[in-house]
Amino acid sequence: MAEGSKGTNYARLALGAGLLAAAAIGVAAFVPRRKLAFVTEPLAGLAKLPVAAAMTAWAMGLWHDATAPQAPVFDDLRPFDEF
């Protein structure tokens, strides 16, 4: 059964993306612009650090691995001497 859980689970990926989008829309709709600017001002300085570039590169590497083409998986347990 563990073999079936390997690989990308697109349902969980879509659910996570939907939750992030709902949170972003909720913040944009219900938080006043001045308060949001006051809270996010310190975070703007963090985006200029090299750590932010490294984290972005790491996340893009994960995305590349998750969306890379994969060979088909044959788990029917037949011997391969019939070819």
Side-chain angles (χ1 to χ4, degrees), residues 27-47:
V27 167
F30 298 115
V31 176
R33 185 172 274 213
R34 286 185 188 194
K35 185 177 271 191
L36 185 63
F38 179 72
V39 170
T40 59
E41 186 177 338
L43 298 177
L46 291 176

Side-chain angles (χ1 to χ4, degrees), residues 1 7-8 13 19 21 25 28 47 50 55 57 62-63 70 74 76 78 80:
M1 282 298 188
T8 305
L13 186 65
L19 288 174
I25 290 170
M55 291 294 285
L62 286 178
W63 180 260
Q70 298 176 353
F74 300 104
D76 55 1
R78 290 184 296 169
F80 289 105

Side-chain angles (χ1 to χ4, degrees), residues 57-79:
W58 173 74
M60 292 303 295
L62 286 178
W63 180 260
H64 179 68
D65 290 344
T67 59
Q70 298 176 353
V73 176
F74 300 104
D75 57 355
D76 55 1
L77 303 176
R78 290 184 296 169

